[in-house]
Amino acid sequence: MEFKLDQQQETEIKTYVLDVVKDAIKQATTANKPYLNRKEIAQYFGVADSTISYWASLGMPVAVIDGRKLYGKQSITNWLKSHEMPSIKAK
């Protein structure tokens, strides 16, 4: 089977594949890091950057070193687990 793509389609596919590969490399490099910056931790948990700031205002653990905020993956996971509640089934 053979596909014919115009230049724009080919460029779009190349850009998409390149973005997927870049994301995979970034995830692989952050996988072994126990502490991440706000953007990385937001991506790790699949939430917006602003959600991380909001969670921090609710008491989520944050390490501050020389004014730089770092977020521990395990600490935040434990913090989230401590806030879990059983779901209420609708009657």
Side-chain angles (χ1 to χ4, degrees), residues 11 20 22 24 26 29 43 54-55 59-60 75 86:
T11 301
V20 169
K22 284 181 181 178
K26 186 167 187 164
T29 57
Q43 187 175 21
Y54 176 67
W55 287 353
M60 180 188 74
S75 300

Side-chain angles (χ1 to χ4, degrees), residues 50-74:
S50 59
T51 300
I52 297 300
S53 297
Y54 176 67
W55 287 353
S57 74
L58 296 177
M60 180 188 74
V62 178
V64 181
I65 309 296
D66 290 330
R68 183 172 179 225
K69 294 180 182 179
L70 295 173
Y71 304 86
K73 293 187 283 189
Q74 190 62 47

Side-chain angles (χ1 to χ4, degrees), residues 10-77:
E10 187 176 323
T11 301
E12 288 174 2
I13 290 173
K14 285 179 181 178
T15 301
Y16 176 76
V17 169
L18 185 59
D19 288 344
V20 169
V21 170
K22 284 181 181 178
D23 286 344
I25 291 169
K26 186 167 187 164
Q27 286 179 355
T29 57
T30 60
N32 294 326
K33 291 171 44 178
Y35 287 87
L36 304 172
N37 64 34
R38 187 176 68 182
K39 184 177 179 179
E40 292 169 334
I41 202 72
Q43 187 175 21
Y44 179 80
F45 282 103
V47 298
D49 289 9
S50 59
T51 300
I52 297 300
S53 297
Y54 176 67
W55 287 353
S57 74
L58 296 177
M60 180 188 74
V62 178
V64 181
I65 309 296
D66 290 330
R68 183 172 179 225
K69 294 180 182 179
L70 295 173
Y71 304 86
K73 293 187 283 189
Q74 190 62 47
S75 300
I76 295 173
T77 299

